[in-house]
Amino acid sequence: MWSFRAWRRRRVLARHPIPGSAWAGALAALPVLRRLPRAGQERLRDTATLLLHGKPVHGADGLEPDRHQRVVVTALAALPVLGLDLDWYDNWHEIVLYPEVFLQDHEWIDEAGVMHREHRALEGESWQQGPIVLSWPDVAASGQGNGYNLVIHEIAHKLDMLNGDANGHPPLHRGMNNTVWHDAFSVAYADLVERVEAQQPTTLDPYAATAPEEFFAVASEVFFEIPRVLRAAYPAVYGQLALFYRQEPREWG
């Protein structure tokens, strides 16, 4: 059946492909993407092309993103949906890059009903209906195969928000089991919290122990960056992420 969306995507790929030199530059800067098989790299290039065309990358605080920066950030953003579809990104429309960490005012009400305000320096942020906001130096430090990936972290939050507030439980595919997901993540999260409180070494960044949604986001980073490490530490979490993202990073080169 004819689909306008499919026709539009084919047209974008034919008319606005990421130039070979720009794509080669992104692969050179991102070792994690070089692990993909050749066919996977080509699909990723197409997905990044569609993202670059449909989700503008804007600068803030005087930063004017060049082509390399825009291709790098969209290549990383394309990775989580390589086994899914770009429809999963329909709840956001742009990426904002800052030249450094950025300041954000944060307000919350505690259990006693008292309003608190603080000024926080952030590397990245995802809003329920807003853009993905990123610090360029932290984007450049992502994708190195060491477990850190700011772009995937914020993308994971966006996916998590597709069924409401971020809580570490995104909408699952047909055939996946909510109870199995909950059990896998809650057991691993409790283990990490216990290790952090006991000041023991941890596989995941201790920041993952701050909340279930942060555990999901950090686990997603590690899933793509150092998958064998995640599977060794939390095999049930790895298995659920493989089902959710419909990818097996352990099989990449």
Side-chain angles (χ1 to χ4, degrees), residues 11-19 49-50 52-53:
R11 186 178 183 185
V12 169
L13 293 174
R15 293 190 174 191
H16 308 284
I18 294 175
T49 295
L50 295 170
L52 196 55
H53 188 76

Side-chain angles (χ1 to χ4, degrees), residues 226-243:
I226 43 177
R228 290 179 175 85
V229 172
L230 179 63
R231 190 176 187 277
Y234 301 117
V237 168
Y238 180 91
Q240 289 301 297
L241 289 178
L243 291 173

Side-chain angles (χ1 to χ4, degrees), residues 128-174:
Q128 182 77 33
Q129 298 296 331
I132 290 177
V133 187
L134 304 165
S135 154
W136 168 248
D138 293 283
V139 173
S142 303
Q144 304 305 306
N146 59 12
Y148 177 75
N149 198 308
L150 176 65
V151 180
I152 289 178
H153 185 103
E154 299 304 331
I155 289 290
H157 283 320
K158 281 294 190 183
L159 296 174
D160 195 359
M161 294 175 189
L162 285 172
N163 55 358
D165 293 335
N167 61 3
H169 197 132
L172 304 183
H173 308 297
R174 181 177 300 177

Side-chain angles (χ1 to χ4, degrees), residues 30 73 76-77 80 95-98 100-102 122-126 132-144 146-158 207 214 217-218 220-222 225:
L30 303 169
V73 72
L76 289 172
I95 297 172
V96 178
L97 285 182
Y98 276 80
E100 299 290 345
V101 294
F102 53 94
L122 301 176
E123 300 168 354
E125 188 172 42
S126 296
I132 290 177
V133 187
L134 304 165
S135 154
W136 168 248
D138 293 283
V139 173
S142 303
Q144 304 305 306
N146 59 12
Y148 177 75
N149 198 308
L150 176 65
V151 180
I152 289 178
H153 185 103
E154 299 304 331
I155 289 290
H157 283 320
K158 281 294 190 183
Y207 183 66
E214 297 302 343
V218 173
S220 294
E221 295 180 67
V222 178
E225 289 274 330

Side-chain angles (χ1 to χ4, degrees), residues 160-214:
D160 195 359
M161 294 175 189
L162 285 172
N163 55 358
D165 293 335
N167 61 3
H169 197 132
L172 304 183
H173 308 297
R174 181 177 300 177
M176 294 186 69
N177 187 294
N178 285 298
T179 300
V180 174
W181 176 281
H182 175 269
D183 290 348
F185 276 83
S186 61
V187 169
Y189 178 67
D191 175 76
L192 182 67
V193 170
E194 183 178 342
R195 290 175 181 275
V196 170
E197 290 178 347
Q199 298 184 344
Q200 297 175 351
T202 60
T203 299
L204 301 187
D205 189 302
Y207 183 66
T210 59
E213 61 268 26
E214 297 302 343

Side-chain angles (χ1 to χ4, degrees), residues 45-56:
R45 182 178 178 180
D46 287 348
T47 305
T49 295
L50 295 170
L51 266 179
L52 196 55
H53 188 76
K55 313 281 188 187

